[in-house]
Amino acid sequence: MSTLILALVAGAVIGLALGALGGGGSVLAVPALIYLLGFSPASATTASLIIVTATSATALYAHAKDGNVVWKTGALFAAAGIVPAFLAGAAAGHLPAAVLTAAFSVVAALAALRMLRPSGAEPPELVRPAKAAGAGAGLGAVTGFLGVGGGFLAVPALVSVLGLRMKQAVGTSLLVIVVNSLAALGARAGTGGDLRWEVIAPFTGAAILAAWDGKRLSSKITGRTLQRIFAFVLLGVAAFMLVDVIA
């Protein structure tokens, strides 16, 4: 299969994930860029952030039109994670790639397991700003450490920690992804390795188009079903990456 076709197919899958699930873009994009398209880990990380930023901004617009974005909570959540993301990103540069990959897979699995548990969190209107800021700072640190947009952790945090309904968490997480991804891109300026724009461009275009289909899909699936799909996707990716590290 040609590189162009692989880029289009992978981009479509990432777009569906972001549009329907509000996350999972980076956790799916990084392995696709490395294992399917031959990117180095450094280049894949930077390329995935470019792809996910553009796709998330498109999906955010679609969800905002339906009123599924809690702007105040989302903005506070995202802003609180910017500085921790920069600091954690600097620390991660001193660790072996295998350690970061293993940590990535473990955190993704834990987030998935949390999503499979019923949320007993308070409704969003009762969430205190300090609680949102604390969760956002923690997510920013993990995002910077692992080098991803953070949507696969933002959704469970918004549901289980901040008490948003699943569809609200999906839309709001996209705001968090855009902010965190832009911050990470700024920190990685000039260090992303060889970026192959002939792959990144079609990948991004397919992802953006598929994000609209993902948004329509999310309107036809119940919140609990959406939550379970998201969790099982995370478990599958976590298992794959952990096996790859061990092998």
Side-chain angles (χ1 to χ4, degrees):
M1 189 178 295
S2 72
T3 299
L4 176 60
I5 294 176
L6 284 174
L8 291 172
V9 172
V13 172
I14 273 69
L16 283 172
L18 279 166
L21 305 176
S26 290
V27 74
L28 296 175
V30 171
L33 289 166
I34 293 174
Y35 299 115
L36 295 179
L37 298 167
F39 278 61
S40 68
S43 296
T45 299
T46 304
S48 73
L49 288 169
I50 294 170
I51 294 163
V52 171
T53 299
T55 310
S56 297
T58 302
L60 174 62
Y61 172 76
H63 281 271
K65 286 178 63 178
D66 289 347
N68 289 329
V69 179
V70 184
W71 292 101
K72 184 177 180 180
T73 298
L76 179 61
F77 193 95
I82 294 176
V83 172
F86 269 84
L87 296 176
H94 300 288
L95 296 176
V99 173
L100 294 176
T101 303
F104 181 98
S105 62
V106 170
V107 171
L110 291 175
L113 292 174
R114 186 169 195 174
M115 289 290 288
L116 290 173
R117 296 202 312 258
S119 173
E122 59 205 273
E125 62 270 19
L126 298 179
V127 174
R128 297 177 181 179
K131 191 173 182 180
L139 174 63
V142 174
T143 297
F145 185 72
L146 299 179
V148 297
F152 71 105
L153 293 174
V155 171
L158 289 167
V159 171
S160 302
V161 177
L162 301 183
L164 270 65
R165 295 188 301 275
M166 184 59 186
K167 290 187 184 297
Q168 286 182 318
V170 167
T172 305
S173 74
L174 292 164
L175 173 62
V176 178
I177 294 169
V178 170
V179 173
N180 284 348
S181 295
L182 287 173
L185 279 171
R188 286 170 168 75
T191 62
D194 181 26
L195 296 179
R196 292 155 51 196
W197 290 102
E198 72 278 9
V199 175
I200 295 174
F203 196 122
T204 304
I208 290 174
L209 291 175
W212 290 96
D213 291 328
K215 169 60 181 60
R216 287 192 288 269
L217 178 64
S218 71
S219 66
K220 300 177 182 178
I221 302 177
T222 64
R224 180 58 181 162
T225 299
L226 202 59
Q227 191 170 336
R228 291 177 65 83
I229 292 172
F230 185 71
F232 286 124
V233 169
L234 289 186
L235 283 174
V237 172
F240 174 82
M241 297 190 76
L242 189 58
V243 168
D244 182 65
V245 171
I246 295 173

